[in-house]
Amino acid sequence: MIDIEETYIENRTLVNPNDTNNYDMAHGGNVMKWMDEVGAMSAMRFAGQTCVTARMESVNFHQPIPRGDAALIESYVYAAGRTSVKVRLRVFREDPLTGDTELTTESYFVYVAVDEDGDPTPVPELETNTEYGRELLEAAVEGEKQTNDHD
């Protein structure tokens, strides 16, 4: 069994000119790519196997991320099936000078653990043994419910 906290990852990417659209904001496709990469790392940390993307659920863009800010990606596993892993992903714009953050993007991705032949392989059970882990789980479940209510 793997604790939810062990899957928590934060990563920052500075938004450079090559990452932006015509409005000098991070291109949505780049934000999704960064989310997918960090989400896969959380899934692989949990599964102990290579994980591939199976589904991206309603990626919600709330605010843009301007060039020069950092995209702070937060990711963790909050549910697991037999071979699949659900990951909560949130992106914040972060001012590199002050550290101030603002939520910009959120989604839930599903990954499948695969073996060396690319076949689905079982994942461990997810457990939540700490107050922080329970808070992460509750936030993910509540956020997913709100996302599904708006679809």
Side-chain angles (χ1 to χ4, degrees):
M1 293 173 79
I2 305 292
D3 194 278
I4 193 170
E5 286 184 61
E6 294 177 43
T7 71
Y8 184 89
I9 294 175
E10 280 187 1
N11 192 34
R12 287 168 178 79
T13 300
L14 189 63
V15 178
N16 289 300
N18 287 343
D19 302 321
T20 63
N21 58 24
N22 293 351
Y23 299 104
D24 223 16
M25 302 291 177
H27 189 284
N30 286 333
V31 173
M32 291 172 59
K33 175 182 181 255
W34 299 330
M35 292 171 75
D36 191 29
E37 290 170 347
V38 177
M41 286 188 268
S42 284
M44 289 187 281
R45 183 174 287 175
F46 170 73
Q49 300 282 338
T50 297
C51 290
V52 296
T53 310
R55 183 172 63 238
M56 302 167 91
E57 298 180 3
S58 47
V59 178
N60 296 310
F61 294 94
H62 305 293
Q63 299 288 327
I65 307 172
R67 179 178 50 85
D69 274 7
L72 168 60
I73 300 102
E74 171 190 83
S75 170
Y76 60 90
V77 172
Y78 71 98
R82 192 178 72 74
T83 63
S84 64
V85 179
K86 285 182 148 186
V87 176
R88 182 180 197 206
L89 286 144
R90 296 191 310 161
V91 182
F92 301 83
R93 64 182 278 191
E94 182 179 66
D95 183 319
L97 302 178
T98 65
D100 291 342
T101 62
E102 178 182 18
L103 180 66
T104 64
T105 314
E106 56 188 331
S107 186
Y108 296 83
F109 287 24
V110 177
Y111 298 87
V112 174
V114 295
D115 62 20
E116 306 80 33
D117 298 323
D119 295 321
T121 188
V123 299
E125 290 183 38
L126 183 66
E127 59 183 25
T128 307
N129 294 320
T130 65
E131 183 61 33
Y132 181 60
R134 286 187 283 279
E135 288 172 10
L136 289 174
L137 178 60
E138 186 178 316
V141 171
E142 183 60 30
E144 184 179 39
K145 182 177 178 255
Q146 288 177 1
T147 298
N148 290 338
D149 288 347
H150 294 288
D151 287 347

